[in-house]
Tab-separated table of all heavy atoms in Angstrom:
chain	number	residue	atom	x	y	z
A	259	TYR	N	-90.152	33.393	99.599
A	259	TYR	CA	-88.841	33.785	99.238
A	259	TYR	C	-88.840	35.145	98.528
A	259	TYR	O	-89.743	35.370	97.728
A	259	TYR	CB	-88.108	32.762	98.415
A	259	TYR	CG	-87.985	31.417	99.032
A	259	TYR	CD1	-88.876	30.433	98.842
A	259	TYR	CD2	-86.877	31.221	99.911
A	259	TYR	CE1	-88.760	29.175	99.516
A	259	TYR	CE2	-86.715	29.968	100.527
A	259	TYR	CZ	-87.618	28.961	100.335
A	259	TYR	OH	-87.499	27.745	101.011
A	260	ALA	N	-87.847	35.943	98.757
A	260	ALA	CA	-87.634	37.106	97.914
A	260	ALA	C	-87.229	36.667	96.523
A	260	ALA	O	-86.569	35.598	96.376
A	260	ALA	CB	-86.530	37.991	98.523
A	261	ASP	N	-87.622	37.422	95.519
A	261	ASP	CA	-87.249	37.039	94.138
A	261	ASP	C	-85.760	36.826	93.935
A	261	ASP	O	-85.328	35.980	93.160
A	261	ASP	CB	-87.750	38.108	93.180
A	261	ASP	CG	-89.282	38.076	93.038
A	261	ASP	OD1	-89.938	37.083	93.438
A	261	ASP	OD2	-89.850	39.064	92.573
A	262	ALA	N	-84.974	37.628	94.670
A	262	ALA	CA	-83.553	37.572	94.426
A	262	ALA	C	-82.912	36.279	94.916
A	262	ALA	O	-81.795	35.927	94.510
A	262	ALA	CB	-82.895	38.770	95.234
A	263	VAL	N	-83.628	35.538	95.739
A	263	VAL	CA	-83.005	34.270	96.260
A	263	VAL	C	-83.788	33.075	95.829
A	263	VAL	O	-83.357	31.931	96.172
A	263	VAL	CB	-82.885	34.368	97.805
A	263	VAL	CG1	-82.157	35.597	98.238
A	263	VAL	CG2	-84.237	34.277	98.468
A	264	LYS	N	-84.910	33.244	95.207
A	264	LYS	CA	-85.746	32.120	94.866
A	264	LYS	C	-85.035	31.135	94.013
A	264	LYS	O	-84.334	31.521	93.041
A	264	LYS	CB	-87.059	32.635	94.142
A	264	LYS	CG	-88.218	31.727	94.167
A	264	LYS	CD	-89.467	32.415	93.654
A	264	LYS	CE	-89.888	33.563	94.526
A	264	LYS	NZ	-91.113	34.234	94.086
A	265	GLY	N	-85.108	29.873	94.322
A	265	GLY	CA	-84.424	28.832	93.554
A	265	GLY	C	-82.995	28.548	94.051
A	265	GLY	O	-82.417	27.585	93.646
A	266	ARG	N	-82.505	29.397	94.943
A	266	ARG	CA	-81.137	29.248	95.450
A	266	ARG	C	-81.104	29.012	96.928
A	266	ARG	O	-80.231	28.335	97.451
A	266	ARG	CB	-80.258	30.447	95.117
A	266	ARG	CG	-80.125	30.753	93.651
A	266	ARG	CD	-79.133	31.903	93.410
A	266	ARG	NE	-79.553	33.182	94.002
A	266	ARG	CZ	-78.835	33.840	94.886
A	266	ARG	NH1	-77.663	33.380	95.329
A	266	ARG	NH2	-79.289	35.011	95.349
A	267	PHE	N	-82.060	29.614	97.675
A	267	PHE	CA	-82.103	29.477	99.100
A	267	PHE	C	-83.316	28.628	99.514
A	267	PHE	O	-84.333	28.684	98.841
A	267	PHE	CB	-82.273	30.892	99.732
A	267	PHE	CG	-81.078	31.791	99.648
A	267	PHE	CD1	-79.987	31.508	98.854
A	267	PHE	CD2	-81.048	32.961	100.404
A	267	PHE	CE1	-78.917	32.346	98.788
A	267	PHE	CE2	-79.958	33.826	100.358
A	267	PHE	CZ	-78.884	33.499	99.499
A	268	THR	N	-83.124	27.910	100.580
A	268	THR	CA	-84.244	27.131	101.154
A	268	THR	C	-84.358	27.318	102.628
A	268	THR	O	-83.366	27.182	103.355
A	268	THR	CB	-84.010	25.623	100.855
A	268	THR	OG1	-83.861	25.404	99.469
A	268	THR	CG2	-85.180	24.771	101.376
A	269	ILE	N	-85.542	27.680	103.110
A	269	ILE	CA	-85.789	27.817	104.489
A	269	ILE	C	-86.465	26.582	105.053
A	269	ILE	O	-87.326	25.975	104.352
A	269	ILE	CB	-86.623	29.101	104.797
A	269	ILE	CG1	-86.677	29.378	106.300
A	269	ILE	CG2	-88.000	28.996	104.175
A	269	ILE	CD1	-87.311	30.686	106.677
A	270	SER	N	-86.066	26.157	106.256
A	270	SER	CA	-86.683	25.001	106.871
A	270	SER	C	-86.647	25.219	108.328
A	270	SER	O	-85.976	26.132	108.878
A	270	SER	CB	-85.956	23.723	106.444
A	270	SER	OG	-84.637	23.751	106.915
A	271	ARG	N	-87.381	24.337	109.073
A	271	ARG	CA	-87.400	24.486	110.529
A	271	ARG	C	-87.532	23.066	111.116
A	271	ARG	O	-88.091	22.150	110.556
A	271	ARG	CB	-88.550	25.360	110.914
A	271	ARG	CG	-89.925	24.851	110.698
A	271	ARG	CD	-91.033	25.903	110.961
A	271	ARG	NE	-91.011	26.296	112.315
A	271	ARG	CZ	-91.608	27.484	112.756
A	271	ARG	NH1	-92.169	28.255	111.911
A	271	ARG	NH2	-91.605	27.783	114.031
A	272	ASP	N	-86.965	22.984	112.329
A	272	ASP	CA	-87.068	21.821	113.159
A	272	ASP	C	-87.688	22.274	114.482
A	272	ASP	O	-86.985	22.794	115.384
A	272	ASP	CB	-85.700	21.168	113.367
A	272	ASP	CG	-85.791	19.860	114.128
A	272	ASP	OD1	-86.785	19.610	114.815
A	272	ASP	OD2	-84.869	19.081	113.995
A	273	ASN	N	-89.002	22.118	114.580
A	273	ASN	CA	-89.694	22.595	115.789
A	273	ASN	C	-89.258	21.902	117.084
A	273	ASN	O	-89.297	22.450	118.142
A	273	ASN	CB	-91.193	22.513	115.605
A	273	ASN	CG	-91.758	23.566	114.690
A	273	ASN	OD1	-91.082	24.584	114.411
A	273	ASN	ND2	-92.879	23.328	114.089
A	274	ALA	N	-88.865	20.632	116.954
A	274	ALA	CA	-88.366	19.886	118.132
A	274	ALA	C	-87.094	20.503	118.661
A	274	ALA	O	-86.795	20.387	119.882
A	274	ALA	CB	-88.160	18.402	117.779
A	275	LYS	N	-86.304	21.154	117.770
A	275	LYS	CA	-85.069	21.786	118.214
A	275	LYS	C	-85.173	23.326	118.306
A	275	LYS	O	-84.190	23.961	118.575
A	275	LYS	CB	-83.931	21.430	117.212
A	275	LYS	CG	-83.644	19.958	117.182
A	275	LYS	CD	-82.499	19.724	116.211
A	275	LYS	CE	-82.091	18.207	116.186
A	275	LYS	NZ	-80.968	17.952	115.194
A	276	ASN	N	-86.398	23.821	118.097
A	276	ASN	CA	-86.593	25.296	118.117
A	276	ASN	C	-85.558	25.977	117.207
A	276	ASN	O	-84.986	27.030	117.586
A	276	ASN	CB	-86.452	25.854	119.544
A	276	ASN	CG	-87.779	25.610	120.289
A	276	ASN	OD1	-88.837	25.282	119.759
A	276	ASN	ND2	-87.703	25.804	121.624
A	277	THR	N	-85.367	25.421	116.006
A	277	THR	CA	-84.304	25.963	115.186
A	277	THR	C	-84.875	26.149	113.754
A	277	THR	O	-85.614	25.290	113.257
A	277	THR	CB	-83.128	25.003	115.096
A	277	THR	OG1	-82.573	24.900	116.460
A	277	THR	CG2	-81.985	25.565	114.174
A	278	VAL	N	-84.449	27.228	113.130
A	278	VAL	CA	-84.836	27.494	111.746
A	278	VAL	C	-83.514	27.632	110.988
A	278	VAL	O	-82.484	28.047	111.473
A	278	VAL	CB	-85.699	28.745	111.572
A	278	VAL	CG1	-84.959	30.008	112.061
A	278	VAL	CG2	-86.159	28.911	110.152
A	279	TYR	N	-83.530	27.141	109.695
A	279	TYR	CA	-82.374	27.074	108.905
A	279	TYR	C	-82.546	27.911	107.628
A	279	TYR	O	-83.664	28.024	107.128
A	279	TYR	CB	-82.015	25.642	108.535
A	279	TYR	CG	-81.899	24.718	109.726
A	279	TYR	CD1	-82.949	23.904	110.159
A	279	TYR	CD2	-80.619	24.671	110.449
A	279	TYR	CE1	-82.777	23.065	111.238
A	279	TYR	CE2	-80.523	23.835	111.567
A	279	TYR	CZ	-81.583	23.023	111.910
A	279	TYR	OH	-81.439	22.208	113.004
A	280	LEU	N	-81.458	28.330	107.060
A	280	LEU	CA	-81.448	28.906	105.763
A	280	LEU	C	-80.288	28.321	104.974
A	280	LEU	O	-79.129	28.649	105.197
A	280	LEU	CB	-81.339	30.441	105.816
A	280	LEU	CG	-81.468	31.139	104.427
A	280	LEU	CD1	-82.884	31.002	103.919
A	280	LEU	CD2	-81.096	32.593	104.574
A	281	GLN	N	-80.631	27.410	104.066
A	281	GLN	CA	-79.660	26.798	103.191
A	281	GLN	C	-79.480	27.720	101.948
A	281	GLN	O	-80.412	27.943	101.235
A	281	GLN	CB	-80.069	25.408	102.723
A	281	GLN	CG	-79.114	24.717	101.802
A	281	GLN	CD	-77.805	24.372	102.504
A	281	GLN	OE1	-77.802	23.733	103.589
A	281	GLN	NE2	-76.651	24.714	101.868
A	282	MET	N	-78.275	28.176	101.788
A	282	MET	CA	-77.954	29.116	100.661
A	282	MET	C	-77.007	28.476	99.727
A	282	MET	O	-75.914	28.022	100.119
A	282	MET	CB	-77.329	30.396	101.233
A	282	MET	CG	-78.176	31.015	102.363
A	282	MET	SD	-77.527	32.636	102.909
A	282	MET	CE	-75.988	32.123	103.657
A	283	THR	N	-77.376	28.334	98.456
A	283	THR	CA	-76.552	27.747	97.423
A	283	THR	C	-76.346	28.759	96.325
A	283	THR	O	-77.053	29.779	96.211
A	283	THR	CB	-77.157	26.475	96.890
A	283	THR	OG1	-78.458	26.802	96.261
A	283	THR	CG2	-77.366	25.488	97.959
A	284	SER	N	-75.399	28.460	95.441
A	284	SER	CA	-75.113	29.302	94.255
A	284	SER	C	-74.980	30.806	94.703
A	284	SER	O	-75.511	31.699	94.129
A	284	SER	CB	-76.233	29.228	93.225
A	284	SER	OG	-76.323	27.893	92.736
A	285	LEU	N	-74.222	31.008	95.766
A	285	LEU	CA	-74.103	32.297	96.342
A	285	LEU	C	-73.425	33.259	95.363
A	285	LEU	O	-72.545	32.905	94.616
A	285	LEU	CB	-73.353	32.261	97.674
A	285	LEU	CG	-74.213	31.733	98.822
A	285	LEU	CD1	-73.290	31.265	99.988
A	285	LEU	CD2	-75.143	32.797	99.336
A	286	LYS	N	-73.880	34.513	95.452
A	286	LYS	CA	-73.378	35.586	94.622
A	286	LYS	C	-72.800	36.719	95.488
A	286	LYS	O	-73.218	36.871	96.639
A	286	LYS	CB	-74.549	36.169	93.807
A	286	LYS	CG	-75.274	35.138	92.943
A	286	LYS	CD	-76.485	35.797	92.241
A	286	LYS	CE	-77.246	34.758	91.419
A	286	LYS	NZ	-78.407	35.407	90.740
A	287	PRO	N	-71.910	37.503	94.949
A	287	PRO	CA	-71.369	38.635	95.767
A	287	PRO	C	-72.485	39.522	96.304
A	287	PRO	O	-72.329	40.095	97.405
A	287	PRO	CB	-70.481	39.326	94.757
A	287	PRO	CG	-69.978	38.268	93.819
A	287	PRO	CD	-71.176	37.338	93.673
A	288	GLU	N	-73.540	39.680	95.547
A	288	GLU	CA	-74.649	40.561	96.015
A	288	GLU	C	-75.450	39.952	97.200
A	288	GLU	O	-76.315	40.615	97.756
A	288	GLU	CB	-75.593	40.920	94.933
A	288	GLU	CG	-76.092	39.721	94.083
A	288	GLU	CD	-75.270	39.516	92.804
A	288	GLU	OE1	-74.006	39.568	92.847
A	288	GLU	OE2	-75.884	39.226	91.735
A	289	ASP	N	-75.173	38.712	97.553
A	289	ASP	CA	-75.745	38.115	98.765
A	289	ASP	C	-74.982	38.552	100.011
A	289	ASP	O	-75.469	38.213	101.160
A	289	ASP	CB	-75.749	36.583	98.650
A	289	ASP	CG	-76.636	36.069	97.553
A	289	ASP	OD1	-77.739	36.620	97.356
A	289	ASP	OD2	-76.233	35.094	96.827
A	290	THR	N	-73.868	39.195	99.849
A	290	THR	CA	-73.099	39.669	101.007
A	290	THR	C	-73.958	40.596	101.867
A	290	THR	O	-74.483	41.563	101.388
A	290	THR	CB	-71.810	40.348	100.577
A	290	THR	OG1	-70.958	39.408	99.873
A	290	THR	CG2	-71.080	40.993	101.754
A	291	ALA	N	-74.087	40.247	103.157
A	291	ALA	CA	-74.905	41.040	104.074
A	291	ALA	C	-74.793	40.478	105.456
A	291	ALA	O	-74.278	39.347	105.646
A	291	ALA	CB	-76.366	41.034	103.601
A	292	VAL	N	-75.376	41.155	106.397
A	292	VAL	CA	-75.642	40.575	107.746
A	292	VAL	C	-77.026	39.966	107.654
A	292	VAL	O	-77.974	40.624	107.264
A	292	VAL	CB	-75.526	41.672	108.865
A	292	VAL	CG1	-75.938	40.990	110.195
A	292	VAL	CG2	-74.158	42.264	108.890
A	293	TYR	N	-77.135	38.684	108.024
A	293	TYR	CA	-78.410	37.957	108.010
A	293	TYR	C	-78.996	37.861	109.365
A	293	TYR	O	-78.247	37.508	110.350
A	293	TYR	CB	-78.169	36.615	107.397
A	293	TYR	CG	-77.993	36.618	105.896
A	293	TYR	CD1	-76.852	37.167	105.313
A	293	TYR	CD2	-79.019	36.177	105.034
A	293	TYR	CE1	-76.715	37.175	103.918
A	293	TYR	CE2	-78.859	36.235	103.666
A	293	TYR	CZ	-77.725	36.739	103.090
A	293	TYR	OH	-77.553	36.812	101.751
A	294	TYR	N	-80.220	38.186	109.494
A	294	TYR	CA	-80.970	38.167	110.781
A	294	TYR	C	-82.132	37.156	110.693
A	294	TYR	O	-82.832	37.149	109.705
A	294	TYR	CB	-81.479	39.565	111.148
A	294	TYR	CG	-80.491	40.647	111.299
A	294	TYR	CD1	-80.072	41.380	110.204
A	294	TYR	CD2	-79.943	40.924	112.493
A	294	TYR	CE1	-79.166	42.394	110.288
A	294	TYR	CE2	-79.028	41.950	112.645
A	294	TYR	CZ	-78.624	42.658	111.593
A	294	TYR	OH	-77.719	43.655	111.701
A	295	CYS	N	-82.312	36.415	111.787
A	295	CYS	CA	-83.557	35.647	111.899
A	295	CYS	C	-84.508	36.410	112.827
A	295	CYS	O	-84.042	37.216	113.658
A	295	CYS	CB	-83.299	34.254	112.325
A	295	CYS	SG	-82.826	34.096	114.064
A	296	ALA	N	-85.755	36.114	112.713
A	296	ALA	CA	-86.736	36.770	113.504
A	296	ALA	C	-87.937	35.900	113.679
A	296	ALA	O	-88.221	34.997	112.878
A	296	ALA	CB	-87.207	38.077	112.780
A	297	VAL	N	-88.672	36.157	114.794
A	297	VAL	CA	-89.916	35.364	115.066
A	297	VAL	C	-91.086	36.274	114.925
A	297	VAL	O	-91.026	37.453	115.357
A	297	VAL	CB	-89.850	34.733	116.470
A	297	VAL	CG1	-89.640	35.826	117.586
A	297	VAL	CG2	-91.060	33.942	116.764
A	298	HIS	N	-92.159	35.795	114.270
A	298	HIS	CA	-93.339	36.552	114.016
A	298	HIS	C	-93.991	36.958	115.357
A	298	HIS	O	-93.947	36.261	116.337
A	298	HIS	CB	-94.321	35.722	113.168
A	298	HIS	CG	-95.276	36.473	112.386
A	298	HIS	ND1	-96.467	36.993	112.977
A	298	HIS	CD2	-95.284	36.859	111.137
A	298	HIS	CE1	-97.107	37.680	112.036
A	298	HIS	NE2	-96.459	37.627	110.890
A	299	ARG	N	-94.676	38.119	115.268
A	299	ARG	CA	-95.283	38.643	116.511
A	299	ARG	C	-96.595	37.925	116.892
A	299	ARG	O	-97.048	38.016	118.031
A	299	ARG	CB	-95.473	40.137	116.429
A	299	ARG	CG	-96.400	40.573	115.382
A	299	ARG	CD	-96.537	42.120	115.401
A	299	ARG	NE	-95.339	42.849	115.083
A	299	ARG	CZ	-94.634	43.568	115.990
A	299	ARG	NH1	-94.989	43.668	117.220
A	299	ARG	NH2	-93.523	44.204	115.596
A	300	PHE	N	-97.251	37.220	115.898
A	300	PHE	CA	-98.514	36.576	116.212
A	300	PHE	C	-98.407	35.078	115.983
A	300	PHE	O	-97.879	34.605	114.949
A	300	PHE	CB	-99.596	37.165	115.284
A	300	PHE	CG	-99.795	38.631	115.423
A	300	PHE	CD1	-99.667	39.436	114.321
A	300	PHE	CD2	-100.156	39.190	116.650
A	300	PHE	CE1	-99.842	40.816	114.474
A	300	PHE	CE2	-100.329	40.505	116.774
A	300	PHE	CZ	-100.190	41.395	115.664
A	301	GLN	N	-98.944	34.295	116.930
A	301	GLN	CA	-98.880	32.854	116.805
A	301	GLN	C	-99.919	32.383	115.818
A	301	GLN	O	-101.003	32.965	115.716
A	301	GLN	CB	-98.991	32.184	118.115
A	301	GLN	CG	-100.316	32.366	118.825
A	301	GLN	CD	-100.405	31.592	120.148
A	301	GLN	OE1	-99.535	30.768	120.404
A	301	GLN	NE2	-101.429	31.883	120.942
A	302	SER	N	-99.591	31.277	115.088
A	302	SER	CA	-100.498	30.599	114.177
A	302	SER	C	-101.143	31.591	113.213
A	302	SER	O	-102.320	31.446	112.860
A	302	SER	CB	-101.591	29.872	114.991
A	302	SER	OG	-101.034	29.021	115.904
């Protein structure tokens, strides 16, 4: 986690559903942004 979101955001994944999640709590105005997900270029 980035320091700015540590303790407030939680990332998780469900490989059976090919889905990754970002649970965001205690949101602040400075969290306003466009959020992008991405897949790493190298496996394992």
Side-chain angles (χ1 to χ4, degrees):
Y259 299 95
D261 288 343
V263 307
K264 203 171 293 183
R266 300 187 298 121
F267 291 10
T268 303
I269 188 171
S270 62
R271 65 190 298 162
D272 184 339
N273 286 339
K275 295 181 178 180
N276 281 346
T277 301
V278 63
Y279 304 97
L280 185 68
Q281 179 68 51
M282 306 186 294
T283 63
S284 301
L285 283 161
K286 305 175 181 180
E288 51 264 43
D289 294 318
T290 296
V292 177
Y293 284 71
Y294 298 89
C295 71
V297 59
H298 203 278
R299 62 178 68 247
F300 302 122
Q301 64 178 350
S302 307

